[in-house]
Amino acid sequence: MLAVHLRDARRDRLVLVAALAALSAVAWLALVAWAGSPAGRYLHHDEAALPPAIGAALFTAGWVLMILAMMLPSSIPLVVVFAGLVRRRPAPRSLVGLLLAGYLLAWAAVGLAAWLLDRGIHAAVDAVPWLGAHPQVILAATLAAAGLWQLTPLRDRCLDACRTPLGFVVARWRGVSPRREALAMGIAHGWFCVGCCWSLMLVMFGVGLGSLAAMLALGIVTAVEKNAPWG
């Protein structure tokens, strides 16, 4: 194996992008297979018959797969910038892996929160029959919350952070404790990504994680929004 300083940086970038794209493709295939299996109903957050811990674990697993499929492609520019920064350090691949792990940890926490929210809504519907008779109220509130968030300054700030991967990495990398900093940067990027995209995820959650066509459409919207100046 060539020493790091002798390797072609452009080739390393291409390999990394291909690996990330392949990971996203595998996640899509896993979601398609899951949706077509007898357990596909769990992608629609339909785990009421399961113990809460198992239901939460299944939902969070499906959520993380969805993030790998939908959101990872939009984060490739930041991962590439970070990989270029640490390529001369010992074990650069493990640092990139920690960055991705932190990113997924942030989104997994959001997935668990979404599951808890869903359980709370079901409990409210059971307790208030009027809500059960008027589900459009819940849908309207979901769309209103998503739409209003799109207009807030905080959401714009999160989007700006996602659109400037070089500035984001340079502002957070000191190199003093590489592994801890890589994980912390991944978590921070995940939360900024949540900040600019949670409203779209809320819509996704409302239509159900099993709607693969909707997931693909929202994934394309997210990639354009995060990476195009006019998005």
Side-chain angles (χ1 to χ4, degrees), residues 70-147:
M70 289 179 58
M71 304 300 296
L72 180 60
S74 68
S75 295
I76 286 177
L78 183 135
V79 179
V80 170
V81 168
F82 178 76
L85 182 67
V86 302
R87 66 184 299 269
R88 295 182 182 275
R89 287 185 170 268
R93 293 176 183 173
S94 68
L95 295 178
V96 173
L98 285 169
L99 177 81
L100 293 173
Y103 180 76
L104 292 177
L105 276 173
W107 273 108
V110 174
L112 182 58
W115 182 84
L116 292 171
L117 174 65
D118 183 63
R119 295 300 93 191
I121 291 175
H122 280 284
V125 168
D126 291 339
V128 183
W130 184 86
L131 283 176
H134 299 84
Q136 67 272 19
V137 173
I138 298 174
L139 178 60
T142 299
L143 294 176

Side-chain angles (χ1 to χ4, degrees), residues 142-159 163 193-203 218 221-222 225-226 231:
T142 299
L143 294 176
L148 290 173
W149 177 255
Q150 295 290 97
L151 305 176
T152 62
L154 181 56
R155 186 262 183 183
D156 289 341
R157 179 186 171 193
C158 292
L159 188 57
R163 284 178 173 171
C193 191
V194 169
C196 69
C197 300
W198 75 262
S199 55
L200 293 177
M201 293 299 104
L202 185 64
V203 174
L218 287 178
V221 169
T222 299
E225 185 177 51
K226 285 178 61 179

